Amino acid sequence: MRRLLLTCTMSLAMICCWATDGFTIDPLTLTEGGSGTLVVNLEQETEGKYCAFQFDLYLPTGVEIVSETGSNGNPTYTNSFTLTDRKARHTVSFSEKDGFWRIMVFDVSSGSNGSFSGTTGAILNISVKTNDQFTLGSQTVDVKNIVLTYSQDLTTSYLQDDFTYTFTGEEQSYMLGDVNGDGVVNVADFMAVSQYIRQLNPSPFIFEAADIDGNGTINVSDMMGISQIIRNNN
């Protein structure tokens, strides 16, 4: 089994910003066929300094944004971009471009009053998953065109340098039924499969460990298989 290990390096040099201001991305491990959460952190010198931002997010080969099927039959990504409680009444706007995603976060109704709380920590969670292009090895990926908007006068401040983060695909063993990868098979794994079937995007989620009958799909039969493993302690 393969996994993706994310590490992050970045340049914090900015125009009109303090050196501590900017974005980071938490380390992330993904297994082949699995899903996870890409956590974007915002650092700001003082609470409420910024009220909006945008950036272009590039994803490595073999990783994509989790999608659901909308009412019109087309894929929808609305539930895959979620803001943390550091927001006010902000909205996430996103669009898939040629090779990257352009992401904007803003609060039109409040203007400068809709600033971000706190000085550090997660600001945006993005649900991602591996696909059939997943490969072993490391990939250096870009975050570009970063813009932060000041709350005080609604002027913008541009990051002078883009930053990069690195995915590394590695082999990883797994235990059948251990869907969340914590080393044991219990009711948490049973619930994770239930959430996956209902398209609630549980994370972490090891597809191969959840596919109890090995038929390449996750369904109620796999839930029953995990139930048997738990009851039989085997």
Side-chain angles (χ1 to χ4, degrees), residues 25 28 35 48 61 64 84 133 165 180 186:
I25 296 178
L28 174 69
S35 60
T61 302
E64 62 185 52
T84 69
Q133 294 182 316
Y165 59 95
N180 59 13
N186 54 32

Side-chain angles (χ1 to χ4, degrees), residues 130-144:
T130 60
N131 57 36
D132 56 8
Q133 294 182 316
F134 172 81
T135 58
L136 298 178
S138 297
Q139 303 175 53
T140 300
V141 196
D142 296 317
V143 177
K144 297 183 176 181

Side-chain angles (χ1 to χ4, degrees), residues 1-4 30-35 130-135 170-172 205-208:
M1 178 173 297
R2 304 168 180 173
R3 68 178 181 182
L4 288 176
L30 296 178
T31 58
E32 184 179 21
S35 60
T130 60
N131 57 36
D132 56 8
Q133 294 182 316
F134 172 81
T135 58
E170 298 179 344
E171 294 285 352
Q172 182 189 41
F205 189 86
I206 303 174
F207 185 92
E208 291 85 350

Side-chain angles (χ1 to χ4, degrees), residues 27-74:
L28 174 69
T29 299
L30 296 178
T31 58
E32 184 179 21
S35 60
T37 302
L38 193 63
V39 179
V40 180
N41 304 289
L42 171 65
E43 310 292 327
Q44 55 183 0
E45 179 206 8
T46 57
E47 184 170 6
K49 184 175 182 179
Y50 300 109
C51 63
F53 64 80
Q54 77 173 62
F55 56 82
D56 292 344
L57 175 68
Y58 290 75
L59 295 173
T61 302
V63 177
E64 62 185 52
I65 305 295
V66 172
S67 65
E68 300 175 355
T69 302
S71 57
N72 59 1
N74 295 324

Side-chain angles (χ1 to χ4, degrees), residues 74-170:
N74 295 324
T76 177
Y77 302 90
T78 303
N79 294 328
S80 294
F81 295 85
T82 57
L83 290 164
T84 69
D85 57 7
R86 293 184 63 188
K87 65 176 176 59
R89 291 187 294 272
H90 289 78
T91 297
V92 182
S93 175
F94 51 86
S95 58
E96 187 175 11
K97 305 293 185 179
D98 185 15
F100 64 90
W101 286 79
R102 176 155 294 169
I103 300 168
M104 297 186 294
V105 174
F106 52 86
D107 182 358
V108 175
S109 61
S110 298
S112 61
N113 293 324
S115 55
F116 301 118
S117 62
T119 58
T120 186
I123 190 73
L124 176 65
N125 295 320
I126 305 172
S127 297
V128 295
K129 65 178 182 179
T130 60
N131 57 36
D132 56 8
Q133 294 182 316
F134 172 81
T135 58
L136 298 178
S138 297
Q139 303 175 53
T140 300
V141 196
D142 296 317
V143 177
K144 297 183 176 181
N145 299 323
I146 305 162
V147 180
L148 287 163
T149 302
Y150 282 118
S151 299
Q152 184 175 4
D153 55 8
L154 298 182
T155 58
T156 59
S157 175
Y158 295 82
L159 281 175
Q160 180 177 346
D161 296 319
D162 306 323
F163 72 87
T164 62
Y165 59 95
T166 303
F167 281 90
T168 303
E170 298 179 344

